Amino acid sequence: MSFWVYIFASRRIGAVPGFTKKYGIKMLVWFEQHETRESAFQRERQLKKWNRAWKLPLIERFNPS
């Protein structure tokens, strides 16, 4: 079984019903696979503490466009 950590971003395109519409999220910009639930949860907690300036290089390496 795999576990995933991901980052969504907003774009000026059509909304999707549910969570993505409520928060204006339109695009998956980064993701990372983990072998255990604990490692994915630990990474998620780490990323939530990061500010935007720290996340941008991570996203741009993965998704330059």
Side-chain angles (χ1 to χ4, degrees):
M1 180 176 271
S2 294
F3 299 90
W4 299 88
V5 179
Y6 47 84
I7 298 174
F8 283 103
S10 301
R11 289 255 334 203
R12 294 179 186 165
I13 59 175
V16 177
F19 178 85
T20 57
K21 183 173 183 177
K22 181 178 178 181
Y23 293 99
I25 298 168
K26 311 290 191 303
M27 179 185 292
L28 176 67
V29 294
W30 176 87
F31 62 89
E32 185 176 87
Q33 184 178 9
H34 291 262
E35 297 210 7
T36 67
R37 181 186 312 264
E38 181 57 37
S39 68
F41 187 60
Q42 185 175 7
R43 179 66 161 156
E44 179 184 10
R45 286 183 296 203
Q46 178 188 40
L47 290 173
K48 284 184 176 185
K49 293 177 184 177
W50 287 17
N51 63 41
R52 181 181 173 91
W54 298 348
K55 291 176 189 173
L56 286 175
L58 178 72
I59 293 166
E60 288 171 350
R61 277 194 308 272
F62 174 80
N63 186 6
S65 61

